[in-house]
């Protein structure tokens, strides 16, 4: 049977970095095996689910490049893929469990449940449901209905331990008595997470459930449900949590570090970096590599190499991975990722030129948010020199060099990076200046910085007019303008 995996977000907020990693692992698992990757929206919590959250989560997944084969937007053989549109299926399954005596109607009110929970805790007993309605006879049930009591469907938990053979954690035992009879359908007709999840994982033919460790205790309940429904459970793998520096769970609430994929995206991080960083939090490639591309992950990923303990999220490391991704990105990728960060004048450039400009500055980027400041020297008006650049053009020799270079560049027949370079080198030879003494003042004059893209490229991008004007300004003589 071919592999089917799923990512099942609850649309109650934005995509969390942990969710992104879970989605990535599922995607890798499916793509390695020619299987199917399904996205299912778990929106049965009507109060907290919103369409904006759903579209935000899907948009972040698309941005990460984690494409899915079946889902609410693309459809598929098991549609619908939103739980709120599958309520009839859950009611049907609940009816089957009621008929088989594996579930029963429960008429307890919230207030009654709360009071009995309190009593159990006070008496030192586990605060499980006490089985009150399991014992009702037909006449008592009818009477409760007659009173207009709320009616939910509760699972009759069977005796015995549950044993899970987890793809990451190995054997996990859920001892008998760990949970009380739990609700399958609420009195409003909506399923609980555990029930809907099992009905859908089974109904959608999911073969492997790869999800966060926080769901491990749910898996105990879910195994009981597979048993009661007479369905074979999928294989499970629970991946460890992502932690704050103090080893607390990195959650939406702690707020120490950005946990939303969208926050990193807006801060100028790129999908390749985020995916590589997140994957290696928890996955060990078996060698010293600290960055793995998607293609390398497709080669390397196995559940056996996912560790069992949580990993601390280190924003500085992510920044390093991001810088690496930017330094090695193609101009075309940078143009696509960086579109939202580009000044209008750059965005409007014809694509080949835009890509050259971006390749010229990529070596100085840590995030895409650095683009405007890195591009500024190549655009528009002359930038105010930074202090070290001002120092580099302060000496009379530097000024003379700039003035001489301006004079030689102005009448050049062709304007190109190469023509600029040979003019500069032969001028240097004549003046007896080379290396840093030659390049630094020119760079400072042209860009107002002492670091940046290679000079011939800078010259080519700036155009002759700006180069000559900036060199003259540095030399202290009035600009004659010039042609672009
Ligand atoms: N809707 C659940 C969540 O967002 C999915 C859990 C699961 O994968 O079964 O945590």
């Amino acid at each position: 049977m071919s592999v089917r995996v799923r990512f099942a977000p609850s649309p109650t907020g934005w995509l969390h970095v942990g969710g992104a990693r879970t989605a990535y692992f599922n995607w890798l698992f499916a793509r390695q095996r020619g299987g199917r990757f399904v996205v299912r929206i778990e929106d049965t919590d009507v109060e907290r689910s919103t369409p904006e959250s759903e579209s935000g989560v899907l948009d972040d997944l698309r941005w990460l490049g984690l494409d899915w084969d079946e889902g609410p937007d693309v459809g598929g053989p098991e549609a619908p893929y939103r739980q709120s549109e599958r309520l009839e299926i859950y009611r049907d399954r609940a009816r089957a469990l009621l008929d088989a005596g594996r579930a029963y109607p429960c008429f307890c009110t919230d207030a009654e449940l709360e009071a009995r929970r309190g009593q159990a805790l006070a008496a030192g007993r586990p605060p499980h449901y006490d089985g009150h309605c399991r014992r009702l006879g037909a006449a008592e049930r009818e009477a409760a209905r007659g009173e207009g009591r709320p009616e939910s469907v509760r699972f009759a938990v069977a005796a015995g331990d549950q044993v899970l053979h987890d793809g990451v954690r190995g054997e996990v035992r859920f001892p008998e008595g760990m949970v009380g009879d739990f609700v399958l359908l609420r009195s409003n007709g909506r399923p609980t997470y555990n029930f809907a999840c099992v009905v859908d994982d089974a109904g959608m033919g999911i073969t492997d459930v790869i999800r966060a460790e926080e769901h491990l205790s749910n898996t105990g309940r879910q195994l009981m449900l597979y048993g009661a429904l007479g369905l074979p459970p999928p294989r499970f793998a629970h991946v460890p949590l992502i932690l704050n520096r103090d080893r607390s769970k990195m959650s939406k609430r702690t707020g120490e570090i950005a946990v939303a994929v969208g926050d990193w995206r807006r801060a100028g991080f790129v999908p390749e970096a985020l995916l590589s960083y997140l994957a290696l939090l928890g996955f060990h490639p078996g060698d010293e590599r600290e960055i793995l591309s998607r293609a390398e992950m497709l080669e390397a990923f196995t559940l056996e190499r996912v560790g069992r303990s949580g990993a601390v999220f280190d924003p500085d490391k992510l920044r390093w991975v991001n810088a690496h991704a930017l330094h090695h990105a193609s101009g075309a990728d940078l143009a696509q990722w960086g579109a939202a960060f580009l000044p209008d004048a750059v965005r409007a450039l014809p694509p080949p030129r835009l890509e050259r400009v971006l390749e010229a500055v990529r070596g100085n980027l840590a995030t895409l948010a650095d683009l405007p400041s890195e591009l500024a020297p190549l655009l528009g008006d002359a930038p105010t020199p930074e202090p070290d650049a001002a120092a580099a053009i302060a000496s009379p020799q530097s000024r003379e060099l700039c003035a001489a270079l301006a004079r030689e560049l102005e009448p050049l027949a062709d304007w190109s990076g190469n023509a600029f370079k040979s003019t500069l080198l032969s001028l240097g030879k004549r003046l007896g200046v080379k290396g840093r003494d030659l390049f630094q003042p020119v760079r400072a004059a042209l860009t107002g910085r002492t670091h940046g893209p290679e000079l011939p490229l800078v010259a080519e991008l700036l155009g002759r007019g700006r180069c000559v004007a900036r060199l003259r300004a540095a030399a202290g003589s009035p600009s004659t303008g010039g042609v672009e």
Side-chain angles (χ1 to χ4, degrees), residues 6-12 19 22 26 40-43 83 193-194 197-198 201 209-212 214-215 218-219 222 236 238 252:
R6 84 314 190 263
F7 180 59
S10 305
T12 56
T22 299
N26 278 282
R40 180 175 74 227
I41 302 295
E42 303 208 321
D43 59 347
Q83 290 188 327
Y193 156 70
N194 279 308
C197 184
V198 166
D201 283 341
V209 169
I210 303 168
R211 64 181 168 201
E214 61 197 329
H215 288 292
N218 286 320
T219 305
Q222 294 185 10
F236 287 95
H238 289 87
K252 301 178 187 181

Side-chain angles (χ1 to χ4, degrees), residues 402-425:
C402 290
L405 184 60
R407 271 196 307 274
E408 305 226 345
L409 292 177
E410 201 157 32
L412 278 187
D414 299 319
W415 185 256
S416 68
N418 277 339
F420 173 90
K421 187 173 171 185
S422 50
T423 308
L424 176 60
L425 290 177

Side-chain angles (χ1 to χ4, degrees), residues 20-235:
R21 187 185 59 175
T22 299
Y24 189 28
F25 284 174
N26 278 282
W27 181 90
L28 288 165
F29 196 85
R31 296 290 173 259
Q32 283 174 330
R33 293 165 176 77
R36 309 269 288 176
F37 178 43
V38 176
V39 168
R40 180 175 74 227
I41 302 295
E42 303 208 321
D43 59 347
T44 57
D45 183 343
V46 264
E47 250 109 72
R48 296 176 59 225
S49 299
T50 67
E52 294 73 33
S53 164
E54 177 186 315
S55 56
V57 169
L58 295 183
D59 190 49
D60 281 343
L61 287 175
R62 267 183 224 112
W63 175 77
L64 289 167
L66 304 179
D67 56 321
W68 51 97
D69 308 301
E70 300 170 30
D73 54 338
V74 293
E78 306 302 338
Y81 291 91
R82 251 181 228 109
Q83 290 188 327
S84 59
E85 294 164 19
R86 301 172 62 82
L87 298 180
E88 236 355 274
I89 303 175
Y90 311 125
R91 285 174 200 159
D92 232 55
R93 288 306 198 158
R95 230 170 279 134
L97 288 175
L98 284 167
D99 292 346
R102 305 302 304 265
Y104 56 89
C106 175
F107 302 96
C108 297
T109 64
D110 287 345
E112 287 164 346
L113 292 170
E114 205 36 58
R116 296 205 311 259
R117 250 175 70 87
Q119 285 162 13
L121 283 172
R125 294 195 307 272
H128 297 158
Y129 182 67
D130 60 2
H132 179 271
C133 290
R134 208 203 255 226
R135 299 183 288 266
L136 297 183
E140 287 163 307
R141 288 179 181 162
E142 276 322 303
R145 287 192 182 106
E147 283 174 35
R149 281 179 160 265
E151 179 172 350
S152 58
V153 176
R154 215 175 257 282
F155 183 59
V157 167
D161 293 357
Q162 297 294 326
V163 182
L164 167 70
H165 299 281
D166 190 83
V168 172
R169 310 196 62 84
E171 187 180 296
V172 182
R173 188 166 285 272
F174 303 96
E176 179 178 337
M178 218 174 93
V179 294
D181 291 353
F182 53 91
V183 171
L184 303 178
L185 281 187
R186 299 192 178 87
S187 57
N188 64 8
R190 302 256 162 186
T192 54
Y193 156 70
N194 279 308
F195 186 49
C197 184
V198 166
V199 169
D200 288 343
D201 283 341
M204 294 180 174
I206 300 301
T207 56
D208 295 80
V209 169
I210 303 168
R211 64 181 168 201
E213 188 187 277
E214 61 197 329
H215 288 292
L216 192 58
S217 64
N218 286 320
T219 305
R221 293 180 179 83
Q222 294 185 10
L223 287 174
M224 297 179 195
L225 286 171
Y226 282 103
L229 289 162
L231 297 166
R235 290 178 289 263

